[in-house]
Amino acid sequence: MGLFSFFKKRKKSVELNEVVAHYDQTVDIPDKTEKGDLRHQILEGCRQMEENATEYHNAKQEYQSLTSYLTDIQIIEDFSQEERTRLLEIATSIITLEDSTQSMREKVERLPDSKFYQMDREKNEIPKDIRRLKENEELQNMMKRDIDYLEGEKVEWTYEKGEVANEKKVLGIICRSSMIVEGLIIIAFVTCFMLEIKNIYTVLLVGMLVVGAAVSGLLIRMQNLKSLLKRCNMNYNRAVTIQNSIKLRYVNMKNAVDYTCERYGVSSAKELEKNWQLYLEAVKELERLEQANDDLSYYKEALLRLLRRHRLYDASIWPYQVHALVDHREMVEVKHLLLERRQKVRTRMENATASIKSTKRQVLAIAKQHRVYPEEMRGILENIQTLIS
């Protein structure tokens, strides 16, 4: 394999030297359209080779990097029993702390940052504001109930006024009709008295007394209805006055409640109290989180110190791959993914090399056949040789 590689390199060097030699000679190339097209074709092929060489170079670096990571895994797997025990202890501590910090962050993040910082600024005032908001909400609800009750009273007094007014109107009609009847009876009685028709005196007298008594009763009832209507109006006006007074206080109380709710971005004292409890929990979790982060930093540094003793290619990646250090199945999966990636990179390298060889054969064949060697060709071929060597 080494001998074959030597001959391949020597062949490439001979081909390149053969091209370079033409730049040491004075070649007269006629300025014709055909020569210009050939020159363009050759340079296009050279640039294509240069792109493939760059792809090969990048893939080769990635291949070497992946190989180094696989070597690191092998070094870790070859740790002594004592180092392996210490590695597992540190990695397990990191996993435990990361799970704890994640749980703490979730509790802290239950309260939006804007609300957390606002409550942190006004933490001395919030307990008093919660109590005051609760009291104001209770008063507001009580006033709302009173307003609704008085509104019901107004409806009742309005209905009763209507009933009394209707009764009074009906009784007025009956009373006027009764008085007319009374008048007619009196006229009939006087007429009979003047004509000395004595046999109906008694009937007319009784009718006159009955109708008179009915009219008197109606007048008394109408007087009572008048007093009752006056009392209904008084009660209605009293309910309106009290309701207006409560409404004014209700508006002031509602403004106070709305101001506090708007200030803290809540809809009620219950929500404000809930946010306050979340804030207090978040403060405690932040203190624990800070301690956990300090411990996490300590164990990650301890892990790096342990790994760097063995001069790994990249020790800094393992604090983020601690599960693979603890679980052999995770480590096997990591190795599998690295091997797959390296195989894909190797395929890229082989494809780039094959493309370079194919294009190079075509370009050199055209250049030799037509003795067309553009000035830029030499630099491009040297750059390609540097990239793939």
Side-chain angles (χ1 to χ4, degrees), residues 87 228 242:
L87 182 67
L228 183 59
I242 295 174

Side-chain angles (χ1 to χ4, degrees), residues 5 35-36 53 75 100 117 121 176 182 222 281 293 342 345:
S5 299
K35 295 290 185 181
I75 292 172
S100 299
Y117 292 126
R121 289 194 307 269
R176 285 192 294 272
E182 179 74 7
M222 288 178 67
E281 292 177 9
N293 284 331
R342 191 170 70 166
V345 171

Side-chain angles (χ1 to χ4, degrees), residues 107-367:
K107 290 182 180 179
V108 170
E109 291 170 358
R110 288 166 61 189
L111 185 66
D113 290 344
S114 57
K115 292 187 182 297
F116 178 87
Y117 292 126
Q118 181 189 21
M119 291 193 165
D120 194 57
R121 289 194 307 269
E122 304 183 28
K123 57 188 175 184
N124 296 327
E125 300 296 325
I126 290 178
K128 292 185 290 185
D129 288 342
I130 291 175
R131 289 195 300 271
R132 188 181 301 114
L133 184 57
K134 280 184 176 180
E135 293 172 358
N136 290 343
E137 284 182 343
E138 290 175 0
L139 288 173
Q140 183 183 4
N141 292 331
M142 184 178 67
M143 291 177 187
K144 185 66 170 60
R145 289 194 298 270
D146 290 344
I147 290 172
D148 293 340
Y149 173 78
L150 289 170
E151 188 64 31
E153 272 203 355
K154 283 168 57 180
V155 171
E156 288 183 7
W157 289 121
T158 300
Y159 176 78
E160 190 167 345
K161 280 196 305 180
E163 291 292 313
V164 171
N166 288 334
E167 185 180 352
K168 185 181 176 184
K169 181 178 179 181
V170 172
L171 291 179
I173 294 172
I174 295 173
C175 185
R176 285 192 294 272
S177 300
S178 298
M179 291 177 69
I180 292 173
V181 172
E182 179 74 7
L184 292 174
I185 294 173
I186 292 173
I187 293 171
F189 180 80
V190 171
T191 302
C192 290
F193 180 76
M194 291 178 64
L195 295 177
E196 295 183 357
I197 304 173
K198 297 181 181 180
N199 55 346
I200 60 172
Y201 277 3
T202 304
V203 174
L204 292 175
L205 182 62
V206 171
M208 186 171 55
L209 292 175
V210 170
V211 173
V215 169
S216 299
L218 289 173
L219 291 173
I220 292 172
R221 177 58 182 169
M222 288 178 67
Q223 187 63 35
N224 291 337
L225 289 176
K226 184 178 180 181
S227 299
L228 183 59
L229 186 61
K230 183 178 180 181
R231 189 175 64 183
C232 287
N233 284 325
M234 289 177 59
N235 288 334
Y236 178 84
N237 292 334
R238 176 174 171 273
V240 170
T241 301
I242 295 174
Q243 188 185 50
N244 290 338
S245 175
I246 295 175
K247 279 182 177 179
L248 181 62
R249 293 169 58 198
Y250 175 82
V251 170
N252 294 333
M253 191 62 64
K254 186 175 186 304
N255 289 337
V257 170
D258 290 345
Y259 170 78
T260 305
C261 289
E262 184 178 354
R263 177 183 174 188
Y264 291 106
V266 296
S267 59
S268 63
K270 184 177 180 180
E271 184 178 353
L272 179 59
E273 188 172 24
K274 178 183 176 182
N275 289 346
W276 175 245
Q277 292 301 323
L278 290 176
Y279 166 78
L280 295 177
E281 292 177 9
V283 169
K284 292 180 181 178
E285 293 301 326
L286 281 174
E287 293 174 356
R288 293 176 57 197
L289 184 60
E290 184 177 357
Q291 181 61 49
N293 284 331
D294 290 342
D295 294 342
L296 194 57
S297 298
Y298 167 78
Y299 281 108
K300 284 185 177 181
E301 286 297 325
L303 178 62
L304 289 174
R305 286 195 301 270
L306 176 60
L307 296 176
R308 283 169 180 163
R309 293 178 194 166
H310 297 269
R311 302 182 180 278
L312 298 184
Y313 168 71
D314 185 8
S316 61
I317 196 174
W318 289 105
Y320 307 97
Q321 293 278 355
V322 285
H323 287 86
L325 297 175
V326 173
D327 189 344
H328 178 68
R329 291 171 300 177
E330 288 277 349
M331 184 65 84
V332 171
E333 182 65 23
V334 171
K335 288 170 67 175
H336 178 69
L337 292 174
L338 288 173
L339 288 169
E340 279 189 344
R341 282 180 58 191
R342 191 170 70 166
Q343 181 58 44
K344 291 178 181 178
V345 171
R346 181 183 296 166
T347 302
R348 283 167 50 198
M349 292 169 62
E350 292 172 352
N351 292 338
T353 303
S355 180
I356 290 171
K357 289 179 179 179
S358 175
T359 307
K360 187 174 182 180
R361 281 195 299 268
Q362 296 173 13
V363 168
L364 292 181
I366 294 172

Side-chain angles (χ1 to χ4, degrees), residues 12-63:
K12 290 178 183 177
S13 179
V14 169
E15 289 176 341
L16 181 58
N17 291 334
E18 184 180 349
V19 174
V20 171
H22 287 278
Y23 292 99
D24 297 330
Q25 303 173 9
T26 302
V27 180
D28 185 16
I29 303 176
D31 186 12
K32 295 181 179 179
T33 303
E34 183 182 354
K35 295 290 185 181
D37 292 341
L38 290 171
R39 180 179 182 277
H40 176 75
Q41 184 178 354
I42 291 170
L43 289 178
E44 189 65 28
C46 289
R47 292 190 182 97
Q48 184 179 347
M49 283 192 293
E50 190 172 29
E51 290 177 3
N52 287 320
T54 302
E55 167 68 12
Y56 174 88
H57 179 73
N58 295 335
K60 182 179 179 181
Q61 288 184 325
E62 185 177 356
Y63 184 89

